[in-house]
Amino acid sequence: MGQFTPTPHDPDARGHFGPWGGRFVPEALIAAVDELAAEYDKARIDPDFVNEFKRLLKDFAGRPSLLTEAPKFSEHAGTRVFLKREDLNHTGSHKINNVLGQALLTKRMGKKRVIAETGAGQHGVATATACALLGLDCVVYMGEVDTERQALNVARMRLLGAEVIPVKSGSRTLKDAINEALRDWVTNVDETHYLLGTAAGPHPFPLLVRDFHRVIGIEAREQILEKAGRLPDAVVACVGGGSNAIGIFHGFIDDADVRLVGVEPGGSGLDSGRHGATLTVGTPGSLHGAMSYVMQDEDGQITEAHSISAGLDYPGVGPEHSHLKDIGRAEYFAVTDAEAMEAFALLSRTEGIIPAIESSHALAGALKIGPSFGPDGLLVVNLSGRGDKDMDTAVEYFGLADGGQA
Amino acid sequence: MSLSDVFAAARAESRAALIGYLPAGFPTVEGSKDYLRSMVESGCDLVEVGLPFSDPVMDGPTIQAAAEQALAAGFRVRDLFDVVAAVADAGGRAVVMTYWNPVLRYGVDAFSRDLAAAGGLGMITPDLVPDEADDWMAASEAHGLDRIFLVAPSSTEERIAMTARASSGFLYATAVMGVTGARDVVSSAAPELVGRVREHTSIPVGVGLGVRSGSQAAEIAGFADGVIVGSAFVSAVAEGDGAVRALTADLAKGVRSAAATV
C-alpha cells in the first residue's frame, strides 16, 4: 500500500472522522480549504507529485529513517524495544515529511508565501527549511514564551531566511501562535498557504498531514518484520497535536493485534491541572477549525496546557485521534514531566541517543507499559525528534551546568 | 419585534440600519449593560452582544484585548443572558455574536432557549458555517431565533446562495478579507460582494469589518441594508459614555445621509 492510497479510515467528504473533525472556520477561509482539498485530491494520484515527494524524502530528508534496537533501554522497560529514528531526519524530527509535502502543494497552487505556527520550533525550522529549498517566502508565528524556551530554533529559522514573529496574545504559546497564523491567513489567503504543522485544524489538514507522515509507519512495519520477524505487540508515540503518532499508527492500523498507544503530556500531574492530556481528560469542543477533544472550562473557554515540552503544550488534538480513542482502536494515557525527563536521561545514558523531550514522553510510556508484555514482548517506539534543541531545558532541569548528573 | 421588522422599519425610512457591537462583560458586566443601553438610546437599531472567548481567531487586537479584559474580570457565559435581557428591557433589540465552542459547551439547544428567554433575537456565528450547523438550525427553529451566517469576498456563488438559504434575519457580509478592526477606508470589495449577494437573495445584507465613522457608514449605507460597527465602539468605551453616544450619533447620521442611493 502506498503512502497516498485512500484507506477505509479516511474522513468523509466534509472531513469528519465519526463526529470529529469537519470545518469550524470563518466562511472567508472555506474557499482556501476547498482549494487545498481539491489540489491534494489531484496531487495524491499524480505520479509527478508522488515521485517528487519521494525523491525529496530520500535525497533531502535522508529517508528511510533507521529502526534501531535499544537493548539496554529494553532491560529497563522489561520488554524488547525498537526505536523508529525520526530524529535522524534532516532538521531533526518527523516534521520534515509534512512540510516537504505541503510546500510542494503550495507550489502546485501557485502560491508564493507560506505561514506556519510552531511550539518547540521543530515545525518552524522544518518549514523554514522547506521554504528555503523550494524558494518560498516564510513567516513563522511562535508564542513569546516559546521563543524564550527555544531561542536556538528561532536563530535557525532566521538563518534559513524565515521571519519569526513572537506572539504576545493569550497564553503566548502554541495555541496563540495558531490563532495568529489563522488571522494572517484570513487576511492574506490569496497568495498564502498556511502550512499547519500537526494533524489537526479544518479538513483537509488532518487527512493530508497524516498522509505525509504515513511513511513513518509504512517503513517501520517493513523494518520490524525484517529485524524481528514479526509485528510488534504495540506501537508507542507521543501525542500533542498527534502528527507523528498518526503517521506511525497508520502503518499498523489494520493489524488488529498491534496495540496503538499514544502518550500525552501529563505536566505536573493530572491532579495538578497543569498538563496537556487532552485525550485523557479533555471534553468535546471545537478549536482551531475542527471538532476534537479539547481542554476547556465549564464555559467552553479553552484552558492553557502545561508541559515541559513546548511541542506537546497544546490544549487540542487531531480529530482522528479523538475518533481512534472513541472506537477503541488506540489507547491514550499521560506521563508527567518528571517521568519524561527520567526517560530522556535514561535513553541518553543507555543507548547514546539524546531524544527530544516530546519523544521522551513516548519512551516513558514504553517504560510504563513494557513490563506487562514481558521479555518476549516487542514494542516499536516512535523517536519523533532529537534532543539537541532541549539542552537548555535539560541543563536547568538536571543542574548540568553545576556539575549535576542526569 | 423581529429582525425583519428592524430592517423593514429602516427601509421604510429609506435608510440603512445601524448595528453596533460590544462584548458582554466589557469593561464589566454592569458597564457593558450601560454602554449598550447608551448605544440603543442614541441610535443603534440593533446591537450585537459579543461573547468573550479565549481564542478569538476572527478578531483584531482591539476586540481581542476587550475579550481578555472581560474574561480576566471573571465574565461567565450566564452573564451574557443578563446583558441581553438588560438591552431588551431597555427597549433595544439584541443578537448575540459568538464563537461556536462556548455554545457547544453550554449545549446548543440550552443556549438557544436561554437566549430567547432573555429576549435575544438571534445569533451571529463567525466560525460556524451552515455546513456544520445542523444542531443550530434545529435549535433556532425550536426557539424562534434568527440565524446570521457570514459571507466573504472569497465566497463562491454557490456558497453565497447556500448561506443565504440557511440564514434568516439578515446576512453578514464581511467587507474585507481579514479580522475585525477599524480601518481608514471602506474596502472596494464590499459593494461588489453585496451586489453578488443580491443576485441570490432578498434577505437584508449587513456589512461589517473596518467601519468607524459616519462618512464610512454613509458610504456603506449607499449599497447595504445594515452598517455594522464593532471595534470603534470598543475603543470609544475607553473614553467613556459621552464618546460612545457621540460615535453612535455620528454613525446614525451617516446611515441616514445616504438615503438617496439606497
Side-chain angles (χ1 to χ4, degrees), chain B residues 162-182:
Chain B
M162 181 276 288
T163 305
R165 279 196 303 276
S167 300
S168 61
F170 72 102
L171 198 58
Y172 190 129
T174 54
V176 292
M177 294 298 290
V179 296
T180 58

Side-chain angles (χ1 to χ4, degrees), chain A residues 14 28 183 286 296 299 301-302, chain B residues 54 56 76 101 131 154-155:
Chain A
R14 293 193 296 149
R183 291 180 189 119
S286 75
Q296 58 187 332
D299 272 0
Q301 308 289 350
I302 305 302
Chain B
S54 54
R76 298 296 309 270
N101 195 56
D131 318 55
S154 60
S155 300

Side-chain angles (χ1 to χ4, degrees), chain A residues 190 206 260 335:
Chain A
D190 276 351
L260 306 177
V335 300

Side-chain angles (χ1 to χ4, degrees), chain B residues 5-255:
Chain B
D5 297 330
V6 171
F7 285 93
R11 199 171 278 175
E13 295 177 16
S14 299
R15 65 174 179 89
L18 174 62
I19 304 166
Y21 166 94
L22 202 67
F26 173 75
T28 62
V29 172
E30 289 311 310
S32 64
K33 291 179 187 172
D34 292 339
Y35 286 116
L36 283 160
R37 279 189 291 245
S38 295
M39 289 160 67
V40 169
E41 284 167 18
S42 42
C44 282
D45 300 292
L46 176 68
V47 292
E48 296 177 5
V49 182
L51 177 55
F53 180 51
S54 54
D55 293 81
V57 298
M58 272 287 282
D59 285 307
T62 305
I63 294 178
Q64 282 177 45
E68 273 186 37
Q69 186 180 332
L71 291 172
F75 173 84
R76 298 296 309 270
V77 168
R78 58 174 175 266
D79 298 327
L80 174 82
F81 303 115
D82 273 352
V83 175
V84 168
V87 173
D89 291 346
R93 273 90 61 169
V95 293
V96 160
M97 183 157 188
T98 178
Y99 292 93
W100 196 236
N101 195 56
V103 183
L104 275 176
R105 185 68 170 150
Y106 197 91
V108 178
D109 189 73
F111 193 99
S112 303
R113 178 198 64 209
D114 291 355
L115 176 57
L121 301 179
M123 188 150 65
I124 305 170
T125 53
D127 64 348
L128 182 73
V129 289
D131 318 55
E132 299 284 358
D134 290 354
D135 290 350
W136 168 225
M137 300 294 279
S140 54
E141 291 297 330
H143 299 286
L145 295 171
D146 279 317
R147 297 177 297 270
I148 301 101
F149 291 107
L150 283 71
V151 291
S154 60
S155 300
T156 60
E157 300 304 316
E158 188 185 10
R159 287 198 63 83
I160 289 174
M162 181 276 288
T163 305
R165 279 196 303 276
S167 300
S168 61
F170 72 102
L171 198 58
Y172 190 129
T174 54
V176 292
M177 294 298 290
V179 296
T180 58
R183 291 170 175 83
D184 289 332
V185 287
V186 174
S187 155
S188 60
E192 188 195 332
L193 175 60
V194 173
R196 290 169 63 210
V197 170
R198 300 231 193 264
E199 300 282 311
H200 298 283
T201 182
S202 56
I203 192 173
V205 184
V207 169
L209 290 198
V211 188
R212 69 173 184 187
S213 69
S215 59
Q216 287 174 325
E219 195 179 336
I220 289 171
F223 58 84
D225 306 297
V227 177
I228 304 168
V229 180
S231 297
F233 276 114
V234 172
S235 298
V237 161
E239 297 166 42
D241 190 60
V244 170
R245 286 176 184 271
L247 175 64
T248 311
D250 181 41
L251 294 164
K253 196 175 155 200
V255 299

Side-chain angles (χ1 to χ4, degrees), chain A residues 6 33 55 57 59 87 111 128 138 145 191 206 226 238 251 282 285 352 381:
Chain A
V33 290
R55 186 188 71 78
L57 286 187
D59 295 342
D87 61 313
K111 294 187 172 183
C138 181
V145 171
E191 74 274 22
E226 186 192 316
C238 65
V381 176

Side-chain angles (χ1 to χ4, degrees), chain A residues 53-218:
Chain A
F53 178 66
K54 285 183 172 167
R55 186 188 71 78
L56 288 176
L57 286 187
K58 176 167 172 284
D59 295 342
F60 186 71
R63 301 203 74 93
S65 67
L66 299 176
L67 186 74
T68 304
E69 181 158 16
K72 292 198 286 296
F73 182 84
S74 296
E75 287 172 23
H76 293 269
T79 196
R80 194 176 177 198
V81 176
F82 283 77
L83 306 174
K84 180 57 176 163
R85 300 293 304 281
E86 294 297 298
D87 61 313
L88 295 177
N89 295 335
H90 181 42
T91 73
S93 80
H94 71 291
K95 295 287 187 188
I96 193 73
N97 305 323
N98 170 49
V99 299
L100 288 172
Q102 286 198 52
L104 287 176
L105 278 179
T106 305
K107 302 263 297 188
R108 273 180 76 105
M109 291 187 289
K111 294 187 172 183
K112 307 250 182 289
R113 178 175 181 264
V114 163
I115 56 172
E117 84 295 340
T118 198
Q122 285 176 314
H123 174 59
V125 168
T127 302
T129 300
C131 289
L133 177 72
L134 296 173
L136 296 162
D137 294 337
C138 181
V139 173
V140 179
Y141 290 95
M142 188 170 189
E144 192 177 43
V145 171
D146 295 332
T147 61
E148 288 156 13
R149 287 197 275 200
Q150 303 286 349
L152 264 181
N153 272 341
V154 174
R156 281 191 186 98
M157 288 183 267
R158 290 183 171 147
L159 191 62
L160 290 160
E163 182 186 354
V164 180
I165 302 181
V167 175
K168 300 176 188 337
S169 58
S171 61
R172 298 178 297 137
T173 59
L174 180 55
K175 88 176 169 79
D176 308 285
I178 296 176
N179 291 341
E180 209 54 39
L182 285 167
R183 291 180 189 119
D184 180 317
W185 202 27
V186 79
T187 307
N188 302 297
V189 66
D190 276 351
E191 74 274 22
T192 301
H193 175 62
Y194 179 15
L195 208 163
L196 186 65
T198 194
H203 178 67
F205 284 108
L207 170 68
L208 64 87
V209 173
R210 176 196 85 190
D211 281 355
F212 291 134
H213 286 307
R214 271 164 73 188
V215 64
I216 307 170
I218 291 169

